[in-house]
Amino acid sequence: MEKRAVFATRHEESRGRYFDEAPSATRTPFQRDRDRIVHSTAFRRLKQKTQVFVAHEGDHYRTRLTHSLEVAQIARSVSRTLGLDEDLAEALALAHDLGHPPFGHAGEDQLDECMKGFEGFDHNAQTLRLVTKLEVRYPNFEGLNLTWEMLEGLVKHNGPVTGPDTPITSLPAAFRNFPHLADLEPDQFAGPEAQVAALSDDIAYNNHDIDDGIASGLFTIDDLMDIPVVGEQFRGVRIEYPHLSDRMVTYEAVRRLIGVWINDLTDETRRRIKLHKPASAAEVRAMTVPLVAFSDELEARQRALRAFLHERMYKHYKVNRMRSQAKRLLADLFNIFLAEPETLPPPWRQDATQVTDARRARIVCDYIAGMTDTFAMEEHRRLYEVSSMR
């Protein structure tokens, strides 16, 4: 374990929370943020939200919850190696997918389509909306009152959100409507821990999609043999353990692949640290390139894997059928709730029946985005199947 890096985010110097609270006697501000995420309703709902497969398809496939836990584990490991704040990286990793609706990217695409006339839908913006408004668990404020460092890391999950070609007016509604957006320095990169969490997400989904794709029968180990990096590891395991079952070969190869990605990430980041010599987290944010990154070589080699997964997994006809069903289901729910807000349960019904169409659409969108896969299917059955009338 390395000592704390000079450019690490320091909890003692946190910019604080937008609503004043007495500090915890037993936890740092970022440990407190992590605990608030773990205890949130939105986090618990991730257990039945699609990663690639609909949550009820099988108990062994990843869900948004298990994916988030894997991302958090990788983020902690990388942060420890680089001397960063592990708790902040973990909290960001656990929170990064809170805004995802049911049915994965199909659900996001459909909600965005439904909201086309009402400023759209974006899952990253929805995450900010959840942690600053929709999670109501405290008597003195809406949201979770997370630290500045958490909020800026969530907003800038994929890098700066404003620039010469992307003014604030072009951002999703939840970003634009957040009163402190300018304070989050949207034209700069996020801090180092947020950068680690973002690339830990890439490591996790690249590798668990290989595992889930093989387990589901969408492709085989032999199909992977010509893919750079991936084929080399699978071949190595088969040579070293010629009698292992394909399932065990997959476990071992994926474990090694995660190590390959982590080692590349830490090596390239150390190279950039020596090159740019940031003296604080603020200097990391002000850089013109990310501090935390994969090497150009690995980035080039993993494009083949992404192309393979896109074609053989994300666009597989079985997955496409699930996507098609999911989009039709969510469109049905959105349309009936928008046209008949009295069918919404309390307290959503009281809010939706007394507002403009645009406000009602956002309320309906918030309600649907918070659903698990299972609950969305149950709501659809209750509303559309005559046999469910009660």
Side-chain angles (χ1 to χ4, degrees):
M1 174 176 155
E2 298 191 3
K3 65 180 181 179
R4 185 161 63 168
V6 65
F7 53 85
T9 302
R10 282 162 163 66
H11 64 79
E12 310 96 305
E13 300 171 6
S14 170
R15 300 197 202 181
R17 307 175 191 276
Y18 287 112
F19 297 93
D20 288 335
E21 293 184 74
S24 169
T26 57
R27 296 169 294 170
T28 71
F30 304 144
Q31 289 171 343
R32 201 175 190 184
D33 284 345
R34 176 202 57 209
D35 296 348
R36 289 184 175 189
I37 295 298
V38 169
H39 288 279
S40 69
T41 303
F43 184 73
R44 289 196 299 276
R45 286 175 177 160
L46 296 180
K47 69 181 179 180
Q48 286 189 326
K49 288 197 176 189
T50 294
Q51 187 65 28
V52 174
F53 299 96
V54 176
H56 73 281
E57 287 288 312
D59 292 338
H60 301 291
Y61 300 130
R62 268 73 173 186
T63 64
R64 289 281 169 201
L65 179 61
T66 59
H67 165 69
S68 296
L69 294 173
E70 291 179 14
V71 176
Q73 180 267 322
I74 294 169
R76 283 199 75 101
S77 295
V78 172
S79 294
R80 185 180 303 118
T81 301
L82 296 174
L84 302 176
D85 190 295
E86 294 179 45
D87 299 313
L88 176 56
E90 179 186 28
L92 286 160
L94 292 173
H96 82 280
D97 269 354
L98 290 180
H100 266 290
F103 309 121
H105 290 291
E108 179 172 15
D109 292 345
Q110 185 58 55
L111 275 186
D112 189 41
E113 177 66 25
C114 290
M115 292 291 292
K116 186 177 288 185
F118 307 103
E119 299 188 304
F121 175 83
D122 176 271
H123 80 267
N124 285 325
Q126 190 70 8
T127 295
L128 178 67
R129 186 167 167 79
L130 271 165
V131 301
T132 59
K133 185 174 181 65
L134 298 180
E135 279 282 337
V136 181
R137 309 182 67 84
Y138 301 91
N140 296 323
F141 48 79
E142 292 180 319
L144 301 179
N145 198 27
L146 302 177
T147 59
W148 182 94
E149 292 78 8
M150 272 292 293
L151 295 179
E152 73 106 22
L154 292 174
V155 167
K156 298 183 284 186
H157 179 66
N158 296 315
V161 294
T162 61
D165 300 321
T166 52
I168 284 181
T169 54
S170 70
L171 298 181
F175 284 165
R176 295 198 317 272
N177 295 336
F178 182 59
H180 307 289
L181 182 69
D183 181 49
L184 297 179
E185 301 167 356
D187 60 334
Q188 294 191 341
F189 284 96
E193 291 81 3
Q195 293 184 31
V196 165
L199 293 189
S200 297
D201 184 21
D202 290 355
I203 294 172
Y205 75 68
N206 275 342
N207 287 287
H208 66 49
D209 283 355
I210 293 172
D211 190 2
D212 283 352
I214 293 171
S216 65
L218 298 186
F219 51 83
T220 68
I221 291 175
D222 290 337
D223 294 329
L224 297 167
M225 287 303 181
D226 293 330
I227 297 177
V229 183
V230 177
E232 296 158 21
Q233 296 302 320
F234 273 91
R235 221 172 357 258
V237 174
R238 277 187 165 175
I239 291 170
E240 189 173 348
Y241 301 102
H243 302 298
L244 276 187
S245 67
D246 281 356
R247 195 77 210 114
M248 289 298 295
V249 168
T250 301
Y251 289 150
E252 178 62 16
V254 168
R255 184 184 68 80
R256 294 183 184 188
L257 283 166
I258 291 172
V260 168
W261 258 271
I262 288 176
N263 291 339
D264 182 88
L265 179 63
T266 54
D267 289 346
E268 174 61 18
T269 301
R270 285 185 175 124
R271 186 189 72 78
R272 294 185 178 211
I273 291 166
K274 290 180 181 178
L275 177 64
H276 297 284
K277 298 180 174 58
S280 66
E283 290 191 12
V284 172
R285 294 186 178 95
M287 289 172 58
T288 57
V289 294
L291 179 68
V292 182
F294 298 118
S295 67
D296 290 342
E297 179 185 5
L298 185 66
E299 281 284 11
R301 299 182 79 194
Q302 71 179 350
R303 288 191 198 110
L305 172 61
R306 289 172 176 162
F308 174 87
L309 291 173
H310 186 267
E311 183 61 33
R312 297 291 299 273
M313 188 172 189
Y314 312 143
K315 294 299 181 183
H316 191 282
Y317 84 91
K318 291 182 180 178
V319 176
N320 282 340
R321 287 182 178 184
M322 284 188 279
R323 287 174 55 87
S324 176
Q325 287 180 313
K327 292 174 82 166
R328 281 181 276 121
L329 184 151
L330 292 188
D332 285 347
L333 289 180
F334 185 89
N335 290 336
I336 194 169
F337 290 139
L338 189 65
E340 303 176 36
E342 64 275 8
T343 61
L344 285 162
W348 304 91
R349 182 179 69 241
Q350 289 90 325
D351 294 338
T353 53
Q354 302 173 32
V355 292
T356 63
D357 287 348
R359 175 70 186 123
R360 179 184 302 158
R362 185 59 61 183
I363 291 170
V364 169
C365 182
D366 287 339
Y367 178 56
I368 294 174
M371 294 179 180
T372 63
D373 296 5
T374 304
F375 184 78
M377 290 186 285
E378 289 175 350
E379 278 286 80
H380 189 272
R381 179 181 55 82
R382 284 190 285 261
L383 286 161
Y384 283 93
E385 292 183 19
V386 176
S387 60
S388 300
M389 291 178 64
R390 60 185 65 179

